[in-house]
Every structure is written in C-alpha cells, then in structure tokens.
Amino acid sequence: MDKNEVKEIVNFEIRKFINDSLDKEIKKVLHNSSSQSRDEVIVTIKNAMEAVYKVLWQKRDFWKTDIK
C-alpha cells in the first residue's frame, strides 16, 4: 500500500462520513433548543432579514414611483 492508496481511502471515508453522518449530526445539534449553534443560526438569519428589510425601506421611494 503506497501513499496515494492511503490518500484515496482517507478521502473516500471522509466523503462517506460527510454524506452519511454529518447532516444527521448537524440536525441533532440544531434540534436542541439550548444549543449555541442553533442560537447562532437564528441570530444570523435575523440579521440577514433585518438587513434586507433596511435596504427595502431605504429604497421605498423607488418601489412606489419607478416600478410600474
């Protein structure tokens, strides 16, 4: 077994883990309401929605007059 074969095996196992287990593990972490990851995701979504709302509010005159 040479170095390239070892790399291929490791890459295969990493891809297999990502495809099979990572999604399930992330779901478990985010499902827990006291999770810091869940709190961070919620804050990120809130900030993104707030930023979109601010931009739309700043451009409200454009939406009212220029689009017909």
Side-chain angles (χ1 to χ4, degrees):
M1 194 179 269
D2 64 348
K3 190 174 180 179
N4 288 332
E5 289 177 344
V6 172
K7 282 183 180 181
E8 287 178 17
I9 293 171
V10 169
N11 285 335
F12 175 76
E13 290 299 323
I14 290 173
R15 283 191 209 111
K16 182 178 161 187
F17 170 76
I18 289 172
N19 290 334
D20 295 341
S21 303
L22 187 63
D23 188 42
K24 292 175 187 172
E25 293 299 320
I26 291 174
K27 181 180 177 183
K28 286 179 190 176
V29 169
L30 293 178
H31 185 69
N32 184 0
S33 62
S34 63
S35 168
Q36 290 179 348
S37 298
R38 179 186 173 127
D39 294 341
E40 195 63 34
V41 168
I42 290 171
V43 168
T44 302
I45 292 170
K46 180 185 121 349
N47 291 342
M49 291 179 70
E50 188 175 300
V52 169
Y53 176 76
K54 285 180 181 179
V55 168
L56 291 175
W57 183 255
Q58 290 172 348
K59 304 294 182 187
R60 68 186 176 278
D61 292 332
F62 170 76
W63 295 105
K64 289 180 182 177
T65 59
D66 295 341
I67 296 181
K68 294 181 181 182

